[in-house]
Amino acid sequence: MEFKNILLSAEGEIGILTINRPKALNALNIETLQDIQMGIQEVKGNPALKVLILTGAGEKSFVAGADIAEMKGMNSIEALNFSRLGHLTLKMIQDLDRPVIAAVNGFALGGGTEIAVACDFIYASENARFGLPEVTLGIFPGFGGTQRLPRLIGKGRAKELIFSGKMVSAQEAFQMGIVNKVFPLASLMEETKKAAAQIAGNGTIGVRLAKTVIDAGFNLDLTEACSLESYAFSIGFTTEDQREGMTAFVEKRKPNFKGK
Ligand code: CAA
């Protein structure tokens, strides 16, 4: 498929979706959000891809937010539709039936932090900057920043970032629990691919079930969430991968998972 503002590539079992609008530091306009949705659909339709990496083109910016020039003239109905488009796009990333790792390679501001936080986890380069500067523009976050971020790092820390509009370094974002690991920019993609390859080598269905249960259980009470885990756990025992994984352990060899 042809895209205008993203690049979609595959390296073995790893898909790489690169947001590619360098003239606006990869800011998310309507067209880019639509491209991301189509890219996610394409990954969904390709069973050979076991893990997706989401990153930004260039060495300066992951995503510098929603496109301010496009938002500037919006009326409230258009803003509602824009926010809903952003939410739908980020939900498609969150709900993709395989892990998505954000490789944040520079500015991740506003919608940039929001899209990264919709991924399963975040690796960042040392030059990455996170923040929700929307209040400096007279608005506030509209792609899930007020909802996903407090769930990830707690209400107090999220409120501090959102109310102040300040930027934090990759190291500060690591300390806050936004980022899992920080690498020099030159090794960010290599390290992210290594992590993706390790995940891709595991039982595909087990990894997918784990993602589903973690996300679906997060907002349930613990009893219901554990019950959901038990049912999903039992589904794992209908797969060839379960038999292969356990047989390989007993036979002291490496498993050869088929994703079935
Ligand atoms: N939207 C549209 N264009 C953007 C943009 C954005 N979010 N961020 C950067 N650009 C454009 C700039 O307008 C500039 O274009 P021109 O060359 O045509 O002038 C180009 O990208 C390069 O940017 P700068 O010259 O500003 O680069 P810099 O190095 O001086 O600063 C920056 C980098 C600190 C990231 C700065 O660009 C910036 O503050 N960007 C805006 C960040 C922001 O406020 N993001 C939140 C957006 S609102 C949002 O996301 C709402 C939501 O939740 C849905």
Side-chain angles (χ1 to χ4, degrees):
M1 195 179 286
E2 284 292 306
F3 303 105
K4 203 156 172 217
N5 296 320
I6 67 163
L7 305 168
L8 189 59
S9 60
E11 291 186 21
E13 297 179 316
I14 303 167
I16 303 172
L17 193 159
T18 306
I19 299 168
N20 183 34
R21 252 192 107 209
K23 66 175 179 192
L25 300 183
N26 306 325
L28 301 172
N29 61 357
I30 292 172
E31 216 171 49
T32 306
L33 291 165
Q34 289 167 340
D35 269 4
I36 295 170
Q37 289 193 7
M38 287 190 287
I40 295 289
Q41 286 293 5
E42 193 162 317
V43 171
K44 216 171 164 181
N46 184 349
L49 300 178
K50 304 268 174 69
V51 180
L52 179 67
I53 297 173
L54 182 75
T55 194
E59 301 201 332
K60 181 171 173 180
S61 181
F62 170 70
V63 169
D67 190 301
I68 300 167
E70 194 174 71
M71 274 186 300
K72 185 174 167 285
M74 284 181 186
N75 63 32
S76 103
I77 297 294
E78 287 162 343
L80 175 66
N81 288 334
F82 186 57
S83 172
R84 284 180 171 162
L85 176 68
H87 273 286
L88 182 63
T89 310
L90 271 54
K91 187 154 166 37
M92 285 174 69
I93 293 170
Q94 183 180 302
D95 291 348
L96 184 67
D97 60 353
R98 58 210 88 171
V100 185
I101 310 173
V104 174
N105 55 319
F107 290 113
L109 300 176
T113 286
E114 291 171 300
I115 197 169
V117 167
C119 297
D120 292 303
F121 58 87
I122 303 173
Y123 283 177
S125 56
E126 285 164 347
N127 68 322
R129 295 287 175 275
F130 292 80
L132 292 142
E134 285 89 343
V135 291
T136 69
L137 299 165
I139 57 167
F140 72 93
F143 288 175
T146 64
Q147 303 307 315
R148 283 195 186 87
L149 197 62
R151 283 167 170 77
L152 181 66
I153 62 173
K155 271 205 282 187
R157 287 202 190 98
K159 283 177 176 172
E160 188 186 355
L161 279 180
I162 291 168
F163 297 169
S164 67
K166 73 177 180 185
M167 271 190 235
V168 294
S169 67
Q171 202 53 44
E172 287 170 285
F174 169 74
Q175 279 155 4
M176 285 178 179
I178 298 175
V179 164
N180 281 21
K181 284 186 180 164
V182 181
F183 300 102
L185 178 60
S187 55
L188 173 67
M189 276 313 278
E190 188 194 319
E191 294 292 342
T192 309
K193 284 179 200 170
K194 259 194 232 165
Q198 185 177 23
I199 295 168
N202 292 328
T204 313
I205 298 171
V207 170
R208 289 184 186 185
L209 285 171
K211 172 168 174 167
T212 305
V213 170
I214 293 166
D215 286 337
F218 202 77
N219 298 318
L220 299 178
D221 75 42
L222 189 60
T223 307
E224 286 176 63
C226 288
S227 166
L228 180 70
E229 185 191 71
S230 294
Y231 283 114
F233 184 72
S234 75
I235 293 171
F237 285 72
T238 64
T239 66
E240 283 178 27
D241 279 359
Q242 175 264 332
R243 286 185 289 281
E244 168 62 10
M246 294 191 181
T247 305
F249 177 83
V250 172
E251 292 176 356
K252 300 190 187 308
R253 61 174 172 81
K254 246 182 121 236
N256 178 18
F257 291 119
K258 301 258 167 57
K260 291 199 268 186

